[in-house]
Amino acid sequence: MTPFLRRILRIAWFPFFYGSRVVTSTLQVAWDILTPGSASVPALIEVPLRCRTDLEITAVANMVSLTPGTVTVATRTDPPTLWVHGMYTADERAFLDDIHQMEDYLLGLTRAGRTRAEPRGEETR
């Protein structure tokens, strides 16, 4: 498959990828509202990013804020970082992985000729 075709397919699939995140989060918040007690474990978490441009940082921040149960509180561009308030952060690693998966998908769309961004780790900072 050519890189151009792969990118077109990723762009076409993006609404379904992100839509599933929004629907899943909406159901989680609705379930918490409609049932007795509360399952929320709110926290403010620093999320390091691999985004390089303002467009990428802004897009990830907006994707996070548009997902029910999360909101981007602040951003920093050097090094790229988001501070995110999440309602369901009992497992901080899973919460970070979820945001990083959204970032990975976005970077696959914005960076031509690549299907994945460079690996995470200290060497990329």
Side-chain angles (χ1 to χ4, degrees):
M1 184 179 315
T2 67
F4 177 74
L5 181 57
R6 186 176 294 124
R7 189 169 188 194
I8 294 298
L9 291 174
R10 287 179 70 83
I11 290 169
W13 183 250
F14 179 75
F16 301 102
F17 166 78
Y18 186 65
S20 70
R21 297 298 176 109
V22 171
V23 168
T24 302
S25 296
T26 300
L27 292 173
Q28 183 180 23
V29 171
W31 181 259
D32 197 25
I33 290 169
L34 296 173
T35 57
S38 177
S40 69
V41 181
L44 187 63
I45 297 177
E46 182 177 358
V47 182
L49 301 174
R50 288 179 295 149
C51 297
R52 292 188 300 239
T53 67
D54 289 343
L55 173 67
E56 292 170 347
I57 295 168
T58 302
V60 171
N62 285 330
M63 286 170 62
V64 167
S65 291
L66 290 172
T67 305
T70 60
V71 66
T72 301
V73 177
T75 63
R76 178 175 58 200
T77 57
D78 191 24
T81 307
L82 296 180
W83 282 270
V84 177
H85 179 273
M87 288 179 53
Y88 304 98
T89 59
D91 183 357
E92 186 176 327
R93 184 76 249 154
F95 183 78
L96 285 170
D97 288 344
D98 194 44
I99 293 173
H100 286 147
Q101 188 177 17
M102 283 193 285
E103 178 191 22
D104 290 343
Y105 201 98
L106 178 78
L107 293 179
L109 297 176
T110 60
R111 297 183 182 174
R114 293 188 186 170
T115 57
R116 294 201 176 263
E118 64 274 358
R120 292 193 186 279
E122 295 304 315
E123 67 277 2
T124 61
R125 303 267 176 239

